[in-house]
């Protein structure tokens, strides 16, 4: 089992940072009137860990006895849509955005079914069921509207816990019906404390300089930091000598593709970049991650006058990928936009958006 799963805290008492937030969640769990909740914060900050710890606080250890079911939904054209649902006796966890443009269908069917069934455990402390919705900020507006109606209609025996990276893409009626809980990324002291705790549990010494290097590489993502720690441990059991943190192959591949884009802006080069993008998608790299990695790399290597334009185009085409079944079209359009901006700069032409 990976360190990140083996040493994941199971209860609020086990969480070692943001103690004030843990205390707040403990107070909510003891309340007779738990509101709908919206957890938001950067990736790897610990949102899901806190959500699962809260559910355990609400219902006890039985909430960790999980099973995975695959539900099949039929869209209006009778096409089958497969969605995985993680559930216990007390809660269900879904990711409606996995259904692409049919997330509204998943929201309506699943939540209506759950809301109309009573809590089966008569000894449970709370009589409502909990539904965790992952990637809530990736839901379409139609799905969010359906979610809002469900929140109003079934409040009596259903509580929603939404998990999102940002609240900016969640409609105001949903935000106003939820208690917003921000989970910030751990700072250096907090993250290194967790890394030393994992190392102690695994019975090896973690030098302070290595912990600092892992923190700098992780960008505040604790999940990534623990994975990197395990990778370094496998490379060098005593973590002595110079330590090199390897980048993922897909990230290096994107950097190489960006270098290719920067070096030449021609139809032939665009064709090669299209093939690169197809390769990334085939290997299950999400379009959002591809665009973000491209932007992070490009803005450090282009003229300062182009940076704002690249970020704006990235935001535009990243939004397009969410509402389309053909992400490649929008990824390629983003590459074309960047190539056009660079070519215009080199030729001394004022770029027209």
């Amino acid at each position: 089992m990976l360190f990140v799963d083996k040493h994941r805290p199971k209860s609020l008492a086990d969480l070692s940072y943001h103690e004030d937030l843990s205390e707040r969640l403990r107070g909510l769990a003891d309340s007779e009137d738990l509101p709908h909740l919206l957890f938001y914060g950067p990736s790897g900050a610990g949102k899901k860990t806190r959500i699962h710890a809260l559910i355990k606080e609400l219902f006890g250890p039985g909430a960790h006895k999980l099973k995975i079911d695959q539900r099949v939904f039929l869209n209006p054209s009778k096409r089958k849509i497969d969605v995985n649902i993680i559930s216990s006796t007390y809660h269900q966890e879904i990711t409606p955005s996995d259904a692409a443009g049919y997330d509204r269908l998943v929201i309506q069917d699943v939540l209506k079914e759950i809301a109309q069934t009573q809590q089966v455990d008569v000894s449970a402390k709370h009589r409502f069921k909990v539904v965790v919705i992952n990637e809530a900020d990736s839901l379409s507006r139609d799905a969010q509207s359906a979610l809002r109606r469900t929140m109003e209609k079934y409040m009596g025996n259903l509580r929603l816990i939404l998990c999102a990276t940002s609240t900016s893409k969640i409609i105001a009626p949903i935000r106003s019906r939820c208690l917003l809980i921000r989970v910030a990324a751990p700072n250096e002291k907090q993250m290194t404390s967790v890394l030393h705790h994992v190392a102690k549990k695994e019975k090896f010494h973690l030098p302070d300089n290595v912990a600092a290097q892992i923190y700098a590489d992780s960008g505040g993502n604790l999940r990534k930091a623990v994975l990197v720690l395990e990778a370094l441990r496998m490379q060098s059991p005593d973590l002595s000598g110079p330590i090199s943190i390897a980048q993922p192959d897909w990230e290096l591949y994107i950097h190489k593709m960006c270098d290719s884009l920067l070096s030449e802006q021609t139809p032939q080069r665009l064709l090669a970049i299209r093939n690169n993008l197809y390769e990334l998608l085939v290997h299950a790299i999400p379009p959002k991650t591809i665009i973000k990695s491209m932007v992070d790399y490009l803005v450090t290597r282009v003229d300062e006058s182009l940076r704002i334009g690249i970020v704006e185009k990235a935001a535009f085409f990243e939004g397009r990928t969410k509402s389309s079944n053909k992400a490649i079209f929008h990824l390629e359009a983003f590459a074309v936009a960047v190539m056009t901006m660079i070519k215009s700069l080199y030729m001394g032409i004022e770029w027209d958006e």
Side-chain angles (χ1 to χ4, degrees):
M1 184 183 290
L2 294 173
F3 288 177
V4 72
D5 296 318
K6 185 178 179 181
H7 301 292
R8 185 190 300 274
K10 297 293 192 297
S11 66
L12 294 175
D14 295 335
L15 294 167
S16 58
Y17 62 96
H18 298 335
E19 290 86 355
D20 55 337
L21 177 55
S22 298
E23 190 60 35
R24 186 183 181 192
L25 293 176
R26 195 173 289 110
L28 287 171
D30 291 336
S31 171
E32 292 299 323
D33 189 22
L34 180 76
H36 299 301
L37 303 175
L38 170 53
F39 285 75
Y40 68 100
S43 297
K47 299 185 295 295
K48 287 187 181 179
T49 298
R50 279 170 170 74
I51 289 171
H52 293 155
L54 173 61
I55 293 173
K56 182 186 177 184
E57 193 78 18
L58 284 167
F59 301 108
H64 285 164
K65 296 178 181 178
L66 304 175
K67 63 177 181 178
I68 300 177
D69 296 320
Q70 188 174 63
R71 288 281 300 275
V72 178
F73 301 88
L74 293 177
N75 67 13
S77 60
K78 304 303 179 183
R79 176 188 168 193
K80 291 183 178 180
I81 304 168
D82 296 328
V83 175
N84 290 328
I85 299 179
I86 301 172
S87 62
S88 72
T89 305
Y90 310 99
H91 84 288
Q92 293 200 19
E93 182 175 343
I94 59 175
T95 308
S97 56
D98 287 348
Y102 300 103
D103 50 359
R104 180 180 62 84
L105 180 68
V106 176
I107 288 287
Q108 287 179 326
D109 286 9
V110 173
L111 294 189
K112 183 177 179 181
E113 177 186 320
I114 297 171
Q116 291 178 341
T117 59
Q118 296 293 327
Q119 180 63 265
V120 295
D121 187 352
V122 295
S123 64
K125 181 179 177 182
H126 300 280
R127 299 305 301 157
F128 54 79
K129 275 195 169 185
V130 171
V131 178
V132 179
I133 300 180
N134 295 319
E135 299 179 15
D137 48 343
S138 296
L139 294 174
S140 65
R141 292 191 70 85
D142 283 346
Q144 292 191 46
S145 296
L147 185 61
R148 175 183 62 82
R149 290 190 292 272
T150 302
M151 294 169 77
E152 295 171 346
K153 188 173 182 180
Y154 298 112
M155 180 69 179
N157 58 340
L158 178 69
R159 295 294 186 276
L160 296 179
I161 299 181
L162 310 183
C163 184
T165 302
S166 168
T167 62
S168 62
K169 296 180 182 178
I170 296 177
I171 61 176
I174 288 182
R175 294 201 304 268
S176 67
R177 287 165 172 79
C178 293
L179 175 63
L180 273 58
I181 298 178
R182 180 175 179 267
V183 183
N187 58 34
E188 183 172 5
K189 181 180 179 181
Q190 292 166 338
M191 183 177 287
T192 53
S193 174
V194 172
L195 294 175
H196 282 295
H197 173 74
V198 172
K200 183 178 180 181
K201 288 287 187 180
E202 292 295 324
K203 299 179 181 178
F204 67 88
H205 174 67
L206 175 62
D208 290 338
N209 65 310
V210 175
Q213 192 174 345
I214 293 174
Y215 171 78
D217 177 76
S218 68
N221 189 325
L222 183 56
R223 179 173 56 251
K224 179 181 178 181
V226 177
L227 289 170
V228 168
L229 173 64
E230 185 169 11
L232 293 176
R233 168 71 170 164
M234 296 296 291
Q235 293 172 14
S236 175
D238 58 356
L239 295 178
S240 61
I243 296 295
S244 176
I245 300 176
Q247 288 181 288
D249 290 343
W250 61 265
E251 197 169 336
L252 295 173
Y253 190 82
I254 290 176
H255 293 172
K256 185 177 179 181
M257 178 182 69
C258 290
D259 287 335
S260 173
L261 183 152
L262 292 169
S263 65
E264 183 181 328
Q265 298 83 40
T266 63
Q268 294 77 16
R269 185 55 54 90
L270 179 61
L271 180 61
I273 288 173
R274 175 192 293 169
N275 292 332
N276 295 150
L277 292 170
Y278 266 121
E279 190 72 17
L280 289 164
L281 291 172
V282 165
H283 285 81
I285 307 301
K288 179 180 178 180
T289 302
I290 295 173
I291 289 184
K292 182 180 183 303
S293 298
M294 288 179 70
V295 171
D296 289 344
Y297 190 79
L298 287 169
V299 295
T300 63
R301 287 163 175 78
V302 298
D303 187 89
E304 187 175 352
S305 63
L306 300 180
R307 293 173 185 172
I308 294 177
I310 288 176
V311 172
E312 289 176 345
K313 285 297 178 183
F316 176 76
F317 287 111
E318 190 264 330
R320 286 286 187 89
T321 62
K322 292 181 179 178
S323 58
S324 171
N325 291 327
K326 295 289 185 181
I328 183 64
F329 295 158
H330 307 294
L331 292 174
E332 185 178 2
F334 172 62
V336 170
V338 175
M339 293 175 88
T340 302
M341 295 166 67
I342 295 171
K343 193 74 170 180
S344 298
L345 180 67
Y346 288 161
M347 296 179 68
I349 302 173
E350 185 174 345
W351 182 62
D352 184 6
E353 295 189 8

PDB file of all heavy atoms in Angstrom, residues 11 21 28 39 53 63 69 89 96 105 109 123 203 209 294 297 327 329 339:
ATOM      1  N   SER A  11      -9.621  10.042  11.173  1.00  0.00           N
ATOM      2  CA  SER A  11     -10.558  10.785  12.022  1.00  0.00           C
ATOM      3  C   SER A  11     -10.066  12.212  12.201  1.00  0.00           C
ATOM      4  O   SER A  11      -8.901  12.534  11.913  1.00  0.00           O
ATOM      5  CB  SER A  11     -10.692  10.106  13.384  1.00  0.00           C
ATOM      6  OG  SER A  11      -9.465  10.187  14.101  1.00  0.00           O
ATOM      7  N   LEU A  21      -9.746  24.260  12.177  1.00  0.00           N
ATOM      8  CA  LEU A  21     -10.745  23.746  11.244  1.00  0.00           C
ATOM      9  C   LEU A  21     -11.285  22.401  11.728  1.00  0.00           C
ATOM     10  O   LEU A  21     -12.491  22.145  11.650  1.00  0.00           O
ATOM     11  CB  LEU A  21     -10.128  23.608   9.849  1.00  0.00           C
ATOM     12  CG  LEU A  21     -11.017  23.016   8.751  1.00  0.00           C
ATOM     13  CD1 LEU A  21     -12.312  23.795   8.624  1.00  0.00           C
ATOM     14  CD2 LEU A  21     -10.270  23.003   7.417  1.00  0.00           C
ATOM     15  N   LEU A  28     -19.615  20.899  14.213  1.00  0.00           N
ATOM     16  CA  LEU A  28     -20.695  20.678  13.250  1.00  0.00           C
ATOM     17  C   LEU A  28     -21.234  19.257  13.352  1.00  0.00           C
ATOM     18  O   LEU A  28     -22.438  19.029  13.245  1.00  0.00           O
ATOM     19  CB  LEU A  28     -20.184  20.938  11.826  1.00  0.00           C
ATOM     20  CG  LEU A  28     -19.948  22.390  11.429  1.00  0.00           C
ATOM     21  CD1 LEU A  28     -19.251  22.466  10.079  1.00  0.00           C
ATOM     22  CD2 LEU A  28     -21.267  23.154  11.385  1.00  0.00           C
ATOM     23  N   PHE A  39     -16.657  22.343   0.699  1.00  0.00           N
ATOM     24  CA  PHE A  39     -15.224  22.380   0.981  1.00  0.00           C
ATOM     25  C   PHE A  39     -14.504  22.852  -0.291  1.00  0.00           C
ATOM     26  O   PHE A  39     -14.741  22.309  -1.375  1.00  0.00           O
ATOM     27  CB  PHE A  39     -14.699  20.994   1.345  1.00  0.00           C
ATOM     28  CG  PHE A  39     -15.059  20.529   2.728  1.00  0.00           C
ATOM     29  CD1 PHE A  39     -16.346  20.089   3.025  1.00  0.00           C
ATOM     30  CD2 PHE A  39     -14.109  20.508   3.742  1.00  0.00           C
ATOM     31  CE1 PHE A  39     -16.683  19.653   4.290  1.00  0.00           C
ATOM     32  CE2 PHE A  39     -14.433  20.064   5.020  1.00  0.00           C
ATOM     33  CZ  PHE A  39     -15.724  19.638   5.293  1.00  0.00           C
ATOM     34  N   ALA A  53     -13.181  12.200   7.296  1.00  0.00           N
ATOM     35  CA  ALA A  53     -13.062  12.237   8.759  1.00  0.00           C
ATOM     36  C   ALA A  53     -14.337  12.797   9.380  1.00  0.00           C
ATOM     37  O   ALA A  53     -14.787  12.324  10.437  1.00  0.00           O
ATOM     38  CB  ALA A  53     -11.855  13.083   9.162  1.00  0.00           C
ATOM     39  N   ALA A  63     -18.761   4.134   8.633  1.00  0.00           N
ATOM     40  CA  ALA A  63     -18.706   4.981   7.443  1.00  0.00           C
ATOM     41  C   ALA A  63     -17.492   4.663   6.572  1.00  0.00           C
ATOM     42  O   ALA A  63     -17.438   5.075   5.413  1.00  0.00           O
ATOM     43  CB  ALA A  63     -18.678   6.449   7.856  1.00  0.00           C
ATOM     44  N   ASP A  69     -19.749   0.667  -6.571  1.00  0.00           N
ATOM     45  CA  ASP A  69     -20.743   0.180  -7.525  1.00  0.00           C
ATOM     46  C   ASP A  69     -20.626   0.980  -8.812  1.00  0.00           C
ATOM     47  O   ASP A  69     -20.313   2.183  -8.784  1.00  0.00           O
ATOM     48  CB  ASP A  69     -22.165   0.341  -6.971  1.00  0.00           C
ATOM     49  CG  ASP A  69     -22.388  -0.501  -5.730  1.00  0.00           C
ATOM     50  OD1 ASP A  69     -21.905  -1.639  -5.707  1.00  0.00           O
ATOM     51  OD2 ASP A  69     -23.034   0.001  -4.786  1.00  0.00           O
ATOM     52  N   THR A  89     -23.027   2.444   4.366  1.00  0.00           N
ATOM     53  CA  THR A  89     -24.405   2.430   4.847  1.00  0.00           C
ATOM     54  C   THR A  89     -24.954   3.839   5.033  1.00  0.00           C
ATOM     55  O   THR A  89     -26.162   4.070   4.928  1.00  0.00           O
ATOM     56  CB  THR A  89     -24.482   1.680   6.191  1.00  0.00           C
ATOM     57  OG1 THR A  89     -23.930   0.377   6.037  1.00  0.00           O
ATOM     58  CG2 THR A  89     -25.913   1.562   6.690  1.00  0.00           C
ATOM     59  N   PRO A  96     -20.049  13.434 -10.651  1.00  0.00           N
ATOM     60  CA  PRO A  96     -20.915  13.579 -11.824  1.00  0.00           C
ATOM     61  C   PRO A  96     -20.191  14.082 -13.063  1.00  0.00           C
ATOM     62  O   PRO A  96     -20.608  13.790 -14.185  1.00  0.00           O
ATOM     63  CB  PRO A  96     -21.978  14.583 -11.364  1.00  0.00           C
ATOM     64  CG  PRO A  96     -21.961  14.510  -9.877  1.00  0.00           C
ATOM     65  CD  PRO A  96     -20.541  14.222  -9.524  1.00  0.00           C
ATOM     66  N   LEU A 105     -28.085  14.556 -15.612  1.00  0.00           N
ATOM     67  CA  LEU A 105     -28.818  13.298 -15.531  1.00  0.00           C
ATOM     68  C   LEU A 105     -28.400  12.508 -14.295  1.00  0.00           C
ATOM     69  O   LEU A 105     -29.235  11.956 -13.574  1.00  0.00           O
ATOM     70  CB  LEU A 105     -28.560  12.482 -16.805  1.00  0.00           C
ATOM     71  CG  LEU A 105     -29.238  11.123 -16.932  1.00  0.00           C
ATOM     72  CD1 LEU A 105     -30.742  11.306 -17.088  1.00  0.00           C
ATOM     73  CD2 LEU A 105     -28.687  10.362 -18.131  1.00  0.00           C
ATOM     74  N   ASP A 109     -30.945  11.680 -11.067  1.00  0.00           N
ATOM     75  CA  ASP A 109     -31.308  10.299 -10.763  1.00  0.00           C
ATOM     76  C   ASP A 109     -30.759   9.829  -9.428  1.00  0.00           C
ATOM     77  O   ASP A 109     -31.486   9.268  -8.603  1.00  0.00           O
ATOM     78  CB  ASP A 109     -30.818   9.363 -11.883  1.00  0.00           C
ATOM     79  CG  ASP A 109     -31.660   9.489 -13.141  1.00  0.00           C
ATOM     80  OD1 ASP A 109     -32.493  10.407 -13.197  1.00  0.00           O
ATOM     81  OD2 ASP A 109     -31.484   8.674 -14.068  1.00  0.00           O
ATOM     82  N   SER A 123     -29.967   2.775  14.541  1.00  0.00           N
ATOM     83  CA  SER A 123     -29.140   3.208  15.672  1.00  0.00           C
ATOM     84  C   SER A 123     -28.236   4.383  15.321  1.00  0.00           C
ATOM     85  O   SER A 123     -27.472   4.850  16.158  1.00  0.00           O
ATOM     86  CB  SER A 123     -28.275   2.037  16.165  1.00  0.00           C
ATOM     87  OG  SER A 123     -27.360   1.629  15.159  1.00  0.00           O
ATOM     88  N   LYS A 203       9.831   4.028   9.902  1.00  0.00           N
ATOM     89  CA  LYS A 203      11.104   3.705  10.561  1.00  0.00           C
ATOM     90  C   LYS A 203      12.323   4.024   9.702  1.00  0.00           C
ATOM     91  O   LYS A 203      13.213   3.209   9.516  1.00  0.00           O
ATOM     92  CB  LYS A 203      11.128   2.229  10.986  1.00  0.00           C
ATOM     93  CG  LYS A 203      10.025   1.892  11.983  1.00  0.00           C
ATOM     94  CD  LYS A 203      10.052   0.421  12.381  1.00  0.00           C
ATOM     95  CE  LYS A 203       8.928   0.104  13.361  1.00  0.00           C
ATOM     96  NZ  LYS A 203       8.896  -1.316  13.742  1.00  0.00           N
ATOM     97  N   ASN A 209      16.970  18.830   5.059  1.00  0.00           N
ATOM     98  CA  ASN A 209      17.169  19.422   3.738  1.00  0.00           C
ATOM     99  C   ASN A 209      16.346  18.703   2.668  1.00  0.00           C
ATOM    100  O   ASN A 209      15.844  19.310   1.720  1.00  0.00           O
ATOM    101  CB  ASN A 209      18.649  19.408   3.358  1.00  0.00           C
ATOM    102  CG  ASN A 209      19.193  17.992   3.188  1.00  0.00           C
ATOM    103  OD1 ASN A 209      18.997  17.134   4.063  1.00  0.00           O
ATOM    104  ND2 ASN A 209      19.856  17.739   2.061  1.00  0.00           N
ATOM    105  N   MET A 294       1.027  23.566 -19.791  1.00  0.00           N
ATOM    106  CA  MET A 294       1.537  24.353 -20.921  1.00  0.00           C
ATOM    107  C   MET A 294       1.709  25.816 -20.525  1.00  0.00           C
ATOM    108  O   MET A 294       2.740  26.440 -20.819  1.00  0.00           O
ATOM    109  CB  MET A 294       0.581  24.237 -22.117  1.00  0.00           C
ATOM    110  CG  MET A 294       0.594  22.885 -22.817  1.00  0.00           C
ATOM    111  SD  MET A 294      -0.572  22.806 -24.204  1.00  0.00           S
ATOM    112  CE  MET A 294       0.229  23.915 -25.377  1.00  0.00           C
ATOM    113  N   TYR A 297       4.640  26.529 -18.153  1.00  0.00           N
ATOM    114  CA  TYR A 297       5.937  26.456 -18.834  1.00  0.00           C
ATOM    115  C   TYR A 297       6.116  27.628 -19.811  1.00  0.00           C
ATOM    116  O   TYR A 297       7.182  28.239 -19.861  1.00  0.00           O
ATOM    117  CB  TYR A 297       6.038  25.132 -19.586  1.00  0.00           C
ATOM    118  CG  TYR A 297       7.420  24.825 -20.128  1.00  0.00           C
ATOM    119  CD1 TYR A 297       8.424  24.330 -19.297  1.00  0.00           C
ATOM    120  CD2 TYR A 297       7.724  25.041 -21.472  1.00  0.00           C
ATOM    121  CE1 TYR A 297       9.697  24.050 -19.798  1.00  0.00           C
ATOM    122  CE2 TYR A 297       8.984  24.759 -21.978  1.00  0.00           C
ATOM    123  CZ  TYR A 297       9.976  24.266 -21.129  1.00  0.00           C
ATOM    124  OH  TYR A 297      11.226  23.987 -21.620  1.00  0.00           O
ATOM    125  N   ALA A 327     -12.082  17.274 -26.706  1.00  0.00           N
ATOM    126  CA  ALA A 327     -11.145  18.227 -26.097  1.00  0.00           C
ATOM    127  C   ALA A 327      -9.993  18.570 -27.024  1.00  0.00           C
ATOM    128  O   ALA A 327      -9.435  19.669 -26.950  1.00  0.00           O
ATOM    129  CB  ALA A 327     -10.607  17.656 -24.785  1.00  0.00           C
ATOM    130  N   PHE A 329      -9.948  19.429 -30.054  1.00  0.00           N
ATOM    131  CA  PHE A 329     -10.192  20.617 -30.869  1.00  0.00           C
ATOM    132  C   PHE A 329      -9.784  21.881 -30.130  1.00  0.00           C
ATOM    133  O   PHE A 329      -9.162  22.789 -30.702  1.00  0.00           O
ATOM    134  CB  PHE A 329     -11.671  20.712 -31.249  1.00  0.00           C
ATOM    135  CG  PHE A 329     -12.159  19.607 -32.149  1.00  0.00           C
ATOM    136  CD1 PHE A 329     -13.510  19.299 -32.207  1.00  0.00           C
ATOM    137  CD2 PHE A 329     -11.280  18.870 -32.919  1.00  0.00           C
ATOM    138  CE1 PHE A 329     -13.973  18.278 -33.021  1.00  0.00           C
ATOM    139  CE2 PHE A 329     -11.726  17.837 -33.742  1.00  0.00           C
ATOM    140  CZ  PHE A 329     -13.071  17.544 -33.801  1.00  0.00           C
ATOM    141  N   MET A 339       0.718  30.182 -30.969  1.00  0.00           N
ATOM    142  CA  MET A 339       1.625  30.296 -32.130  1.00  0.00           C
ATOM    143  C   MET A 339       1.385  31.612 -32.872  1.00  0.00           C
ATOM    144  O   MET A 339       2.328  32.277 -33.318  1.00  0.00           O
ATOM    145  CB  MET A 339       1.426  29.103 -33.057  1.00  0.00           C
ATOM    146  CG  MET A 339       1.858  27.771 -32.457  1.00  0.00           C
ATOM    147  SD  MET A 339       1.480  26.349 -33.515  1.00  0.00           S
ATOM    148  CE  MET A 339       2.964  26.288 -34.510  1.00  0.00           C
TER     149      MET A 339
END
